[in-house]
Amino acid sequence: MGKASSKSSPRPSPVGPKALSLPIFQKLKNRRVILASASPRRKEIFAASDFHPEIVPSTFAEDLPHSRFQGRLADYPISTGAEKAMEVYERLVKENEYDPPDLVISADTVVIFPPEKDTAEGGQYHGEISEVLEKPINKNEQTRSLSSMAGRQCEVITGVSIVYPTVEAPGFKVQSISASTLVQFYDNSNETIQAYVDSGEGIDRAGGFAIQGLGGILIEKIEGDYNNCVGFPSSAFWRWISDLDADGIFDEAWQ
């Protein structure tokens, strides 16, 4: 006996009427697209393209050991983002195998200081060790991080992963990209740094600062995508996923 079918009620399209008329936007209409993140900033970046996925935050612990990625720290947010996307996809399939996601999107943004290009042999700070700066655990750690970066650069890297269904085991496929932005800090005084820390902003952000908020006063310039610093490289993402679609990657999954 075959499995009984289960019809779900129509869901709002993730693509609104003012979205760009690119093939990928049209193809995502009436698809179940999930953003595996509770970040309001990522939601806002998608909304700027009039794209409104379902929000299902991942429960992945985000505790991969940094030591596993030493010398290639850019792989850390890619691996974390992939784990987050897979956790959400597998959970939703278990909850209702008749209504699986068509696409799960996840992201993980980290700050690396100093940038690995600077600590590699021949780099400006060769001999120092590049580290992943997580969200500071308290204001003292936030102050230390911002003071160490004064007058110097850090690298903001976002790993973006997608998960979509396939007929081959394990029933889904993962693909990932990453984007990098270099952030140059002013040689901020202790007074300026302390004033920013006392504002309460940045304590919940990687590296201890929010470039789109008061933290902008600490920044001299950036090289790369501004939205990547906020939490999601939307331009790179849409170009990438459009290329995947043009290559027929989603044809089987979205028939």
Side-chain angles (χ1 to χ4, degrees):
M1 181 180 294
K3 294 181 179 178
S5 63
S6 175
K7 293 184 179 180
S8 58
S9 59
R11 60 176 61 90
S13 171
V15 183
K18 295 183 292 183
L20 295 174
S21 58
L22 294 172
I24 188 61
F25 281 89
Q26 299 304 313
K27 188 164 283 191
L28 289 173
K29 283 185 176 180
N30 301 315
R31 296 292 176 186
R32 190 180 186 195
V33 183
I34 309 294
L35 176 60
S37 172
S39 166
R41 295 165 293 281
R42 290 180 182 138
K43 182 179 178 180
E44 290 167 1
I45 289 171
F46 274 120
S49 299
D50 209 26
F51 184 78
H52 306 278
E54 290 182 50
I55 305 298
V56 182
S58 173
T59 60
F60 178 67
E62 301 187 37
D63 56 359
L64 298 177
H66 296 172
S67 58
R68 185 192 304 175
F69 302 92
Q70 200 62 49
R72 47 183 184 85
L73 293 177
D75 290 348
Y76 173 80
I78 293 175
S79 295
T80 298
E83 292 286 352
K84 290 162 69 173
M86 287 188 290
E87 185 279 320
V88 168
Y89 184 87
E90 291 180 309
R91 171 157 45 101
L92 293 178
V93 169
K94 287 180 181 178
E95 288 177 0
N96 186 352
E97 64 179 301
Y98 302 110
D99 190 26
D102 294 299
L103 185 70
V104 175
I105 305 166
S106 70
D108 186 57
T109 301
V110 300
V111 171
I112 296 176
F113 178 78
E116 286 191 304
K117 69 177 182 62
D118 291 338
T119 58
E121 187 172 354
Q124 183 178 4
Y125 297 106
H126 179 57
E128 293 188 26
I129 297 176
S130 297
E131 296 182 276
V132 173
L133 301 184
E134 302 280 10
K135 299 172 184 177
I137 60 174
N138 54 43
K139 288 188 173 183
N140 287 336
E141 183 175 298
Q142 184 183 13
T143 300
R144 285 196 298 273
S145 292
L146 294 175
S147 296
S148 67
M149 292 188 289
R152 296 178 60 173
Q153 283 186 339
C154 71
E155 185 176 14
V156 179
I157 297 180
T158 301
V160 179
S161 292
I162 58 170
V163 173
Y164 53 93
T166 62
V167 295
E168 297 87 5
F172 61 84
K173 189 168 184 178
V174 184
Q175 299 220 38
S176 304
I177 60 166
S178 67
S180 168
T181 303
L182 293 173
V183 177
Q184 176 68 48
F185 285 84
Y186 284 111
D187 191 9
N188 296 297
S189 66
N190 293 337
E191 180 183 21
T192 299
I193 292 171
Q194 193 59 53
Y196 179 69
V197 170
D198 290 343
S199 77
E201 186 182 87
I203 194 70
D204 62 339
R205 313 292 172 87
F209 67 96
I211 195 171
Q212 74 276 24
L214 295 173
I217 198 172
L218 306 175
I219 308 304
E220 181 177 2
K221 62 181 179 179
I222 69 170
E223 297 177 29
D225 183 357
Y226 171 83
N227 277 338
N228 182 49
C229 296
V230 179
F232 195 84
S234 57
S235 179
F237 171 78
W238 286 117
R239 284 170 170 75
W240 172 57
I241 200 171
S242 292
D243 288 344
L244 292 177
D245 180 47
D247 290 341
I249 295 297
F250 306 120
D251 288 351
E252 178 186 285
W254 296 349
Q255 286 180 351

